[in-house]
Amino acid sequence: MVATGVRGLIGAEHVKPGATVIDVGIHRTPDGLAGDVRTAELDGIAARVTPVPGGVGPMTIAMLMVNTLRAAR
């Protein structure tokens, strides 16, 4: 899981072959949104990489709703 707070900090040199990379970072740039991982470098190295945007956001919202409903009960 990557949540460094620094856009593009993590690249191929930081990832073991076959790893699953979960990019939690999100940064606004003139070209759109970007994460903490340079995903293009991980092709052929990482087994899976979550996209930014659209990766962990939907799961975060779903779990927020679950926890809200649990707290309301």
Side-chain angles (χ1 to χ4, degrees):
M1 182 175 293
V2 180
T4 66
V6 178
R7 179 176 50 98
L9 180 66
I10 303 300
E13 68 274 17
H14 301 104
V15 177
K16 290 183 180 181
T20 297
V21 180
I22 302 171
D23 191 351
V24 181
I26 191 159
H27 308 275
R28 292 194 189 280
T29 70
D31 298 325
L33 297 175
D36 293 347
V37 177
R38 298 185 307 267
T39 55
E41 293 181 14
L42 302 185
D43 286 344
I45 298 171
R48 294 167 196 84
V49 181
T50 58
V52 174
V56 299
M59 181 56 72
T60 302
I61 292 168
M63 293 311 299
L64 177 62
M65 295 305 294
V66 167
N67 290 337
T68 300
L69 291 172
R70 285 182 182 163
R73 291 185 198 146

